[in-house]
Amino acid sequence: MGIFRTIKALYRAWMLRPILYRTLSKSLTALAAMLCWERFFNNGLLHTYRDVGLIAAIVLLVMAWVNYLRLDGVVVHHMMEERKRKPHRRHRTKDMIDFTEEPVDPEGEMSREENWLCGLLSSLAAGVLFLLISLVATVL
């Protein structure tokens, strides 16, 4: 029950947009993989929306599970550790006008936990969507 309190404490209303964007990109990537499977690799063994949709749902739900474990504090060494990045090189003149041409990073202000929460919720939403597609294809 403690993880739900953590999710509720971390979630903010402004996180809805990154969650929706990530859900859309993950769903479109999974759909593109399903259609590539249908077009190039399908030999009639697997039905696209039933079987491959279930595989996509399982992959997305595993991604959600990994983010859940990260929020819960589980760390697998060398696999889930953050990579050390080079320090950002400061601009020489440091005038404000020099930074106006740089692209704005909307997720740059998010903490690691908020980033993991957005990943958890987006993977969960996309996984449930593909699970429903697979179930509907199974019934029909």
Side-chain angles (χ1 to χ4, degrees):
M1 194 71 178
I3 191 67
F4 295 113
R5 289 186 185 141
T6 305
I7 290 173
K8 190 175 180 181
L10 284 175
Y11 182 76
R12 304 285 181 253
W14 58 267
M15 287 184 187
L16 185 62
R17 181 176 290 177
I19 290 170
L20 289 177
Y21 286 166
R22 288 181 184 191
T23 302
L24 184 66
S25 66
K26 289 176 184 179
S27 298
L28 290 177
T29 303
L31 185 63
M34 286 172 57
L35 293 176
C36 285
W37 172 265
E38 175 67 28
R39 176 76 175 137
F40 299 114
F41 301 112
N42 194 7
N43 56 4
L45 215 68
L46 297 176
H47 186 267
T48 302
Y49 295 107
R50 184 186 65 208
D51 301 328
V52 183
L54 181 63
I55 292 170
I58 290 171
V59 167
L60 288 165
L61 291 174
V62 165
M63 289 170 56
W65 180 253
V66 168
N67 282 321
Y68 168 78
L69 290 176
R70 281 180 162 182
L71 275 175
D72 205 25
V74 175
V75 176
V76 177
H77 295 288
H78 304 297
M79 186 174 147
M80 297 173 80
E81 290 179 350
E82 296 292 325
R83 292 186 178 152
K84 295 177 184 174
R85 297 182 182 176
K86 295 179 184 176
H88 183 67
R89 198 178 111 228
R90 299 295 295 173
H91 204 275
R92 281 188 196 150
T93 60
K94 298 182 184 172
D95 288 336
M96 186 62 181
I97 195 68
D98 293 333
F99 295 102
T100 58
E101 297 294 322
E102 292 184 8
V104 177
D105 185 18
E107 296 178 3
E109 300 294 322
M110 290 172 47
S111 68
R112 287 187 336 197
E113 289 82 14
E114 291 171 343
N115 201 1
W116 293 338
L117 179 65
C118 288
L120 167 69
L121 295 176
S122 66
S123 296
L124 190 63
V128 168
L129 175 73
F130 278 95
L131 188 63
L132 288 176
I133 289 172
S134 175
L135 290 175
V136 167
T138 302
V139 171
L140 297 178

